[in-house]
Amino acid sequence: MCNTNLFSITSLNRCNCLITSLSRASLADMLPVLVVHGGAGHIPKKRVQLSCAGVRAAVRGGYSKLQGQGSAMDAVVEAVTLLENDHHYNAGLGSVLNIKGEVEMDAIVMDGRYLASGAVSAVRKVANPVQLARLVMDKTSHLCLTGEGASQFARAMGVPEVPEESLITEYARMRWKKNLAADANPVECQMGKMGTVGAVAVDAEGNIACATSTGGMLNKMEGRVGDTACIGCGGYADNRVGAVSPTGHGEAIMKVTLARLILFHMEQGCSAEAAADEALAYMKERVGGLGGVVVVDPQGEWSARFSSLQMAWAAAQQQTLHYGLYAGEHFTQNIDDPY
């Protein structure tokens, strides 16, 4: 049976089987929908408001694409691009640093229509890895490019190269230096970083997409690739089932192929929230990993779920903006209302 013990945010009912409320609302009324996250974990108090503001801005930007008849892929890439450009997150500008004090970023996109996907890993000197991942999907026959090969492809596609220093913030450098100390507590240092970013969407045509982007793990080994660039781990989208974008400890997510595991539970009849609960509980029990996800299904049911202390999230549906950070939080406002 589907586990329902974790914190729940969903746009429809909380049953662990197929949706019944659609008999009261047409599919067209529920679409489009966009859900984003800004990372699961522990966010320092002085950065909480900035984290919440960032996901709201990203969901507004992505939702505007959907309102303008843009595709689900357009929406998730726009939302994640906005989060990559916000230095309060661990993606693009503001990415955490590896053991050598350098930026190496991963990103993935997936189009649920054809199971098309593109990813990049360990990329440097690119402002928006999620846009490069989309180019991999659209312009190559491959699913993932890494390191220098990804950089060469970016240059061939005319993607501007930016100085690495332009992606490094003082906050990221401070966390890096603190974790180098002989008496550093690795768990505490990881808690102080901001999170991976991601988005899932269903557009007005019923097409589904996901996107995820990250700077990875603080003080990671050079060349380390986490879950984000791996299909089925850092994201998955299938028009027949739904889409997932996860955040959390990458190695744990990879061990259970978290994104695909959630969609497996949905294929068995679980709702988006119940499937997320089941998979997150399994990851915690089996490999001791904490994390969070945003999930959406083809009918527009969405969920933002996490087993960690916090996860910044926001969603837009039916002209309403939803958002929260702590367990039990669910704030709403009209999408057009000022902040």
Side-chain angles (χ1 to χ4, degrees):
M1 293 182 63
C2 295
N3 188 319
T4 56
N5 292 329
L6 297 180
F7 162 57
S8 169
I9 291 295
T10 180
S11 61
L12 293 175
N13 61 12
R14 287 167 169 75
C15 68
N16 59 359
C17 49
L18 295 176
I19 302 165
T20 60
S21 60
L22 287 177
S23 61
R24 299 188 300 272
S26 69
L27 181 61
D29 289 336
M30 305 310 296
L31 303 180
V33 58
L34 171 69
V35 195
V36 308
H37 68 75
H42 177 80
I43 302 170
K45 288 184 179 180
K46 63 182 180 180
R47 299 174 74 87
V48 163
Q49 289 187 347
L50 299 170
S51 180
C52 290
V55 291
R56 293 201 305 272
V59 87
R60 287 175 185 270
Y63 195 64
S64 69
K65 293 285 185 181
L66 295 173
Q67 290 177 308
Q69 303 305 308
S71 68
M73 180 59 64
D74 292 336
V76 296
V77 170
E78 176 67 14
V80 171
T81 294
L82 290 170
L83 291 168
E84 288 177 337
N85 292 340
D86 187 332
H87 67 90
H88 298 109
Y89 299 95
N90 176 25
L93 173 63
S95 291
V96 299
L97 308 182
N98 67 15
I99 192 66
K100 295 176 65 177
E102 301 168 337
V103 171
E104 291 182 314
M105 302 168 290
D106 302 342
I108 192 169
V109 299
M110 189 164 184
D111 188 326
R113 293 175 297 172
Y114 315 113
L115 303 187
S117 183
V120 292
S121 70
V123 296
R124 306 167 183 255
K125 300 181 179 180
V126 173
N128 297 112
V130 72
Q131 296 182 12
L132 184 59
R134 185 174 188 177
L135 286 171
V136 172
M137 180 182 70
D138 290 342
K139 303 296 183 179
T140 82
S141 60
H142 304 309
L143 263 66
C144 184
L145 296 178
T146 191
E148 179 56 29
S151 296
Q152 291 177 9
F153 173 69
R155 289 191 287 270
M157 292 290 101
V159 176
E161 188 171 278
V162 300
E164 185 172 16
E165 286 296 318
S166 69
L167 300 174
I168 299 176
T169 64
E170 287 302 314
Y171 183 76
R173 196 176 296 280
M174 178 272 291
R175 302 301 307 183
W176 170 72
K177 289 182 178 178
K178 186 173 182 179
N179 207 27
L180 288 176
D183 61 347
N185 181 330
V187 175
E188 180 182 336
C189 289
Q190 289 295 333
M191 286 171 63
K193 76 177 181 68
M194 299 298 277
T196 293
V197 303
V200 295
V202 187
D203 61 31
E205 301 299 318
N207 294 315
I208 292 176
C210 71
T212 312
S213 180
T214 190
M217 181 182 292
L218 180 64
N219 290 51
K220 62 189 176 183
M221 293 176 64
E222 185 178 11
R224 178 261 187 183
V225 177
D227 65 292
T228 295
C230 300
I231 191 170
C233 301
Y236 204 84
D238 183 345
N239 270 22
R240 297 181 180 180
V241 190
V244 180
S245 174
T247 172
H249 185 242
E251 277 69 11
I253 290 171
M254 294 168 81
K255 289 175 183 177
V256 302
T257 55
L258 183 61
R260 192 64 188 87
L261 179 60
I262 290 171
L263 294 183
F264 166 78
H265 288 307
M266 291 170 67
E267 288 172 326
Q268 306 310 304
C270 288
S271 66
E273 74 163 49
D277 281 355
E278 190 78 7
L280 287 169
Y282 176 76
M283 185 172 74
K284 182 178 180 181
E285 179 273 328
R286 190 71 174 85
V287 298
L290 299 178
V293 295
V294 290
V295 187
V296 70
D297 75 8
Q299 290 76 32
E301 179 195 11
W302 59 267
S303 187
R305 307 284 288 168
F306 51 96
S307 56
S308 56
L309 179 64
Q310 300 159 302
M311 185 178 78
W313 65 270
Q317 185 178 43
Q318 295 179 303
Q319 294 301 114
T320 300
L321 189 152
H322 308 254
Y323 62 97
L325 177 68
Y326 294 98
E329 281 190 348
H330 186 173
F331 303 109
T332 60
Q333 65 184 88
N334 187 285
I335 194 74
D336 296 322
D337 288 348
Y339 289 102

